[in-house]
Amino acid sequence: MSKIQREPALYIDGRWVSGGGGDLEVENPATEEVTGLITQASAADVDAAVAAARAAFPAWAATPVAVRAAMLRRVHDVIAERADVFADTVHREQGSPPKVARGLHVDTPLAVIDKTIDALESFAFRSEIGNSLILRQPVGVVAAITPWNLPLHQVVVKVIPALAAGTTVVLKPAGLTPLTAFELARAFEAAGLPAGVFNLVTGSGRVVGDQLTRHPDVDQVSFTGSTKVGRQIAATAAGTLKRITLELGGKSASVVLADTDDELLAKAVKITVGNCYLNGGQTCTALARLIVPVEQVEQVERLAAEAAAKYAPGSRLGPLISAEQRKEVESFLDPSTGGTSTVTVLGGVDRVGGIELPERGHYVTPTVFSRVDPESQLATEEIFGPVLSILTAGSDDEAVALANNSIYGLSGAVWGADRDAAIAVAERLQTGQVDVNGGAFNPGAPFGGYKQSGVGREMGGYGIADVLEIKAVQR
Ligand code: NAP
Ligand code: MG
């Protein structure tokens, strides 16, 4: 039995105050042990947090950019100094293997903070159009509601640009992974952030998240999570015509063009599998559909089986977040969810390839299906687990049509020997991000969804702009 981390307080107005909403246990999904205990906010606690953010807003908004940038630099440095604590905390509540926890869950958010500070230092808060002075001013109080899949990153991409822009924040992290948010609150405290500028409340989305979404003194809700809850938040926020930022689900496609040679094809399959399985398959940007020329499908199936078999559950492949989520993903392991032509290349209900699962922990077998019907449940629904679907296309145009055949549009990839032609295909994909021939993740580039993948953009200068109002002053 590992040590239980107790968090008996909420962080409101620069103080640790006991919450009135009862206790909540936090489980490590890799071991199924309780590793944390937090207190939840009552409705009065939520009101106090919003009031603190409101009171702190004028002074923070008026704080010079250079001072805000220096403050965020200190926050960055405190997190970097405590990187091991953050990685361990992510591991104990989200289950990611320690090495993954450090790279994906701590180093990436640190890079995001760094790029946000760069963007802040060069941001055009004032400009001119003719006789008008154009001012970009912070909206006020931002409520951030975040999911469990990336407990630090999903918080950082909202909170840091908001603080950079001069807004004040009330954060409600996911009930399954709140402990990392407490570490972040401690980092803000250690960096000397003024009281009330950042506030942490915990509790269920249905209660605390809903209260924040309705709250008349919250100016913007920034949400990441399921498309279902995103729709509810948009509807509720309409009651006060609040501004919303929504980062929702995806069913992103990796498109292999007909001119792709064997070497690039091998790279495409390997990177697509790795991307689909990242974080146990629990990323909104997962390349969950691999669209390949029909002539190459057998070669792709061999390559995918080989690449996917390297993701041993418990070492390279992390667990799903909960027993509930595991059940949800297991409902997609039957090839019939992909239509009658679907074949299991690896994993699935039949456990093709015989990969062992650890005895404890919410693991599922890494799975690859092929010849999946593009209209099937498997090809259209977000799974949020390590399940890759291979689809075939008769031409590059058909591949583009298949890729765009989705209610979602968050991420994507294109592979082709002619790089310019591949970029031209990227232009045709209805999606917020596209990586061409393995182009690397850019922590300074805008991130967000087309279609039902979301509203608004996060990261870099776009993340700052997302929480700014625009004023024109005529002279
Ligand atoms: P979720 O239900 O959308 O929850 C995300 C956040 O919203 C959590 O903090 C949650 O609180 C809160 N919330 C829930 N209902 C709310 C409401 N009515 N009003 C305000 N806030 C509310 O996501 P989930 O249950 O964690 O995961 C379910 C599915 O969402 C996954 O299978 C996956 O498809 C998708 N997902 C997407 C992303 C992404 O990055 N796009 C990330 C995670 C999950 P509590 O959970 O604490 O109650
Ligand atoms: Mg939920």
Side-chain angles (χ1 to χ4, degrees), residues 296-382:
Q296 283 172 321
V297 70
E298 280 164 19
Q299 192 184 350
V300 167
E301 286 165 355
R302 273 196 307 277
L303 290 166
E306 208 180 293
K310 294 193 174 125
Y311 287 79
S315 52
R316 210 163 162 201
L317 188 70
L320 299 183
I321 192 68
S322 64
E324 189 191 355
Q325 198 65 18
R326 177 184 178 171
K327 240 178 101 188
E328 185 73 29
V329 171
E330 281 174 345
S331 74
F332 287 95
L333 295 188
D334 192 317
S336 69
T337 58
T340 49
S341 62
T342 297
V343 295
T344 309
V345 174
L346 190 84
V349 270
D350 301 327
R351 301 283 292 279
V352 172
I355 293 174
E356 298 280 331
L357 291 180
E359 262 167 50
R360 308 275 298 167
H362 306 303
Y363 292 95
V364 296
T365 183
T367 294
V368 178
F369 291 119
S370 187
R371 310 177 197 219
V372 174
D373 177 346
E375 300 303 330
S376 67
Q377 204 192 345
L378 193 58
T380 56
E381 292 183 19
E382 181 175 50

Side-chain angles (χ1 to χ4, degrees), residues 57 60-61 68 72 116 120 123 125 135-145 155-170 218-223 242-247 455-471:
F57 172 64
W60 183 246
R68 294 206 299 264
L72 295 179
T116 307
L120 172 62
F123 196 89
F125 286 94
L135 304 177
R136 311 199 71 182
Q137 300 184 313
V139 294
V141 175
V142 173
I145 302 176
V155 172
V156 156
V157 294
K158 297 190 182 306
V159 173
I160 299 296
L163 299 181
T167 65
T168 54
V169 175
V170 178
V218 169
D219 299 287
Q220 180 159 345
V221 175
S222 183
F223 167 82
K242 265 183 193 56
R243 295 163 51 120
I244 48 172
T245 306
L246 304 174
E247 294 293 347
V455 175
R457 290 293 180 274
E458 294 187 323
M459 311 233 297
Y462 288 86
I464 295 171
D466 202 61
V467 291
L468 295 175
E469 277 290 9
I470 301 169
K471 180 182 289 175

Side-chain angles (χ1 to χ4, degrees), residues 209-266:
D210 187 67
Q211 188 184 346
L212 287 168
T213 308
R214 290 177 197 283
H215 208 293
D217 241 2
V218 169
D219 299 287
Q220 180 159 345
V221 175
S222 183
F223 167 82
T224 299
S226 61
T227 293
K228 180 170 158 245
V229 173
R231 281 190 203 103
Q232 282 169 19
I233 286 182
T236 305
T240 45
L241 286 177
K242 265 183 193 56
R243 295 163 51 120
I244 48 172
T245 306
L246 304 174
E247 294 293 347
L248 309 176
K251 188 75 182 181
S252 297
S254 181
V255 177
V256 174
L257 300 176
D259 73 346
T260 303
D261 56 42
D262 283 357
E263 196 185 327
L264 187 59
L265 182 67

